[in-house]
């Protein structure tokens, strides 16, 4: 799974013993509303895995705020605590979005006075037109398909508490950046950044995305399982796409289903698996916490970075 020398490894039973207090700050209905298509999660998962995780995040936050205060005393000038940024990484179809939305809801309710916001790095993909002009449409999702300069500038603005930062919005329905639509991030106390590339080290940048993270989570699973989840999700997308001619998956939904699945298998093998093996998986050990999933999206092991 990962380097045992760098991580404390805990079974699910061991991990859930670290924080037995408190009731999950959401209902089963709310949990099902925020989970991603084809993901599985229960309130028992929240109790066993995510309650201890939020407790750990709180510990990191307190240390972060203490360090900010000490630095201010050292400089004899205290500009205030900068936003605490959490990165959520992992493969396509592994359940990162569910983890990110769940943490946003939990942290918002546990820390009621904190402004907790969420953004995905999908919005920093180059538009399809630009990818086609660069000749890298087949590399969508790979490091070079992201506007890294814009993403790093955004994170710098967040850390400097710039107001009303507008960012692009990506739609999985049209498989592209939505023209003339933006999302506003306004002075968060806690910002969650979710994406396959959040822990990567780009070769062309002197500043890394991970430089801005104060805590990070990698959602992990065996590639064979992720492929199964990816194809299962693809089937569910086809089941709904045939009603909308503007949907990216519409042509596949109304066509031969076996041909559509053959296309999806090829995309998994040639794009998503390759990206996972070459660029995403090597970043796993950079995370503070690794959540390992098994059949049914069940988290069976949690690893905590020692350093």
């Amino acid at each position: 799974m990962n380097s045992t020398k760098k991580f404390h490894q805990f079974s699910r039973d061991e991990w859930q013993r670290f924080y037995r207090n408190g009731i999950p700050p959401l209902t089963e209905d709310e949990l099902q509303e925020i989970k991603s298509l084809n993901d599985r999660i229960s309130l028992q998962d929240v109790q066993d895995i995510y309650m201890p995780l939020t407790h750990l995040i709180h510990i990191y936050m307190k240390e972060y705020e203490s360090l900010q205060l000490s630095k201010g005393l050292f400089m004899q000038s205290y500009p205030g605590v900068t936003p605490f940024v959490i990165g959520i990484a992992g493969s396509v179809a592994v359940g990162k979005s569910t983890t990110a939305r769940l943490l946003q809801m939990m942290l918002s309710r546990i820390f009621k006075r904190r402004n907790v916001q969420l953004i995905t790095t999908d919005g920093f993909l180059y538009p399809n037109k630009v990818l086609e002009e660069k000749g890298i449409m087949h590399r969508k999702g790979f490091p070079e398909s992201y506007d890294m300069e814009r993403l790093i500038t955004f994170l710098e603005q967040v850390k400097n508490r710039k107001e009303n930062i507008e960012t692009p919005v990506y739609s999985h329905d049209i498989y592209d950046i939505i023209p003339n639509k933006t999302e506003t991030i306004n002075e968060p106390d806690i910002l969650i950044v979710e994406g396959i590339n959040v822990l990567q080290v780009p070769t062309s940048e002197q500043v890394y995305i991970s430089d801005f993270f104060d805590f990070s989570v990698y959602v992990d699973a065996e590639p064979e399982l992720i492929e199964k989840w990816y194809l299962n999700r693809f089937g569910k997308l086809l089941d709904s796409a045939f009603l909308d001619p503007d949907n990216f998956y519409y042509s596949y939904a109304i066509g031969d289903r076996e041909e559509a699945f053959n296309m999806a298998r090829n995309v998994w093998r040639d794009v998503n698996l390759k990206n996972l093996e070459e660029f995403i998986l090597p970043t796993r050990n950079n995370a503070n916490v690794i959540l390992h999933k098994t059949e049914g999206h069940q988290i069976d092991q949690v690893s905590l970075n020692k350093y």
Side-chain angles (χ1 to χ4, degrees), residues 248-278:
F248 173 77
Y249 297 95
Y250 178 76
S251 61
Y252 300 108
I254 64 173
D256 182 270
R257 198 169 180 89
E258 187 56 36
E259 287 184 8
F261 269 91
N262 285 336
M263 181 279 299
R265 291 185 189 96
N266 289 337
V267 170
W268 169 259
R269 183 192 66 231
D270 298 336
V271 179
N272 294 318
L273 179 59
K274 188 175 182 180
N275 196 12
L276 172 62
E277 292 176 339
E278 293 183 9

Side-chain angles (χ1 to χ4, degrees), residues 219-271:
V219 184
D220 191 27
E222 300 307 314
E224 296 78 14
L225 265 182
I226 305 174
E227 178 184 12
K228 184 170 75 172
W229 298 337
Y230 173 80
L231 293 174
N232 198 320
R233 183 180 71 177
F234 178 75
K236 291 186 176 183
L237 287 169
L238 295 188
D239 292 340
S240 59
F242 74 93
L243 298 172
D244 181 9
D246 294 327
N247 191 293
F248 173 77
Y249 297 95
Y250 178 76
S251 61
Y252 300 108
I254 64 173
D256 182 270
R257 198 169 180 89
E258 187 56 36
E259 287 184 8
F261 269 91
N262 285 336
M263 181 279 299
R265 291 185 189 96
N266 289 337
V267 170
W268 169 259
R269 183 192 66 231
D270 298 336
V271 179

Side-chain angles (χ1 to χ4, degrees), residues 5 9-10 15 17 78 87 112 119 149 152 168 188 192-193 200 215 231 274 282 293 306:
K5 293 181 179 179
Q9 295 184 324
F10 305 102
W15 180 259
R17 293 192 189 106
Y78 183 55
K112 298 182 185 299
I119 193 167
E149 184 177 350
I152 288 171
I192 299 170
V193 182
Q200 290 173 9
F215 189 86
L231 293 174
K274 188 175 182 180
K293 289 185 172 185
K306 295 178 181 179

Side-chain angles (χ1 to χ4, degrees), residues 85 87 148 151-152 155 159 197-202 207-216 283 286-288:
V85 180
M148 297 301 296
L151 177 54
I152 288 171
L155 291 170
K159 281 291 191 180
N197 63 328
V198 298
L199 296 178
Q200 290 173 9
V201 179
V207 181
Y208 306 147
I209 308 174
S210 57
D211 291 343
F212 298 93
F213 294 150
D214 306 297
F215 189 86
S216 57
T283 71
N286 296 335
N288 295 110

